Amino acid sequence: MQFAAALFLVTAGLSLSAELAAPNDAGVSWAHFHFNAHDLDQARTFWTALGATPVKPIGPNDAYSVKNSLVLVRKAEVTGGSELTIVHHVGFRVKDLDGTLAKVEAAGFKILTPAETIAKSHKANVMGPDEVNVELVSDPALDAPIASHHVHFYNTPIEDTRAWYVKTFGAVPGKRDVFEAADVPGINLSFSAAKVPSVKGTKGYAIDHIGFEVKGLEAFCKKLEASGVKFDRPYTKVPQLGLALAFITDPFGTYIELTEGLASQQ
């Protein structure tokens, strides 16, 4: 099932027009968000309200294009919402924040941030299907309706989580607003202390996994294995599509897919 889902992901990528960001010195860039949903129609209503562009569904997965990223949604029984997991929420830049929020509200989804706070901060969190928390950040200069922006990890200790992403993916440490952060081309990784006593791993929850595109994936996987990283699915070639993939789980519970070839198919 995992391998089939990966095939659906990479095949969906063939029909997208948006390009992924160029890789960093480690060969890594952002690739995709992968969500579980009990109702694909409800999920489609939500993602299109945000400005994501639907592309041809493959198997049980619906795929959407946003600038610098794919959004993939798979029909599944959902264990729980994103706020229970280490990936508390994910964030997107939107060109028209007020217009997007109006569409979200009209579609029946809840805006979590008070209006007065939105007016001051120019950002808002909304609750999507299956209790997935999504943050929207205003960017009027954006040349698309919506673009990838950040993944927000809630885990303690913060520095251990950030250090792992810096070491593993060549993320550049820094700050985003008040948050400790690290950047990979196409995405910001932000880190805060956990809000719940015991955060869960992401697999099976509303945000099932996150994905990175890696240039030279086979060598990259060998390097990770040599450093002690365990693979949920080892490096696998998909020659009929000219792609390769692998799955790992970070030490804190975030499920991660690695791909190579997705960027060249855009």
Side-chain angles (χ1 to χ4, degrees), residues 1 41 56 100 108 137 238 240 259:
M1 178 63 72
D41 289 336
K56 184 178 179 180
T100 301
V137 179
V238 189
Q240 63 269 38
T259 58

Side-chain angles (χ1 to χ4, degrees), residues 86-110:
I86 183 172
V87 179
H88 179 274
H89 66 270
V90 293
F92 297 84
R93 291 181 292 150
V94 291
K95 184 175 181 66
D96 178 8
L97 179 60
D98 290 341
T100 301
L101 292 176
K103 291 177 182 177
V104 167
E105 195 166 34
F109 299 102
K110 185 177 181 180

Side-chain angles (χ1 to χ4, degrees), residues 33 89-92 135 137 148-152 176 187-188 190:
F33 306 90
H89 66 270
V90 293
F92 297 84
E135 183 175 355
V137 179
S148 57
H149 187 255
H150 70 274
V151 175
H152 205 138
R176 180 180 70 84
I187 202 75
N188 173 270
S190 300

Side-chain angles (χ1 to χ4, degrees), residues 181-201:
D183 289 295
V184 170
I187 202 75
N188 173 270
L189 308 174
S190 300
F191 306 91
S192 294
K195 286 190 173 183
V196 295
S198 179
V199 293
K200 310 295 184 182

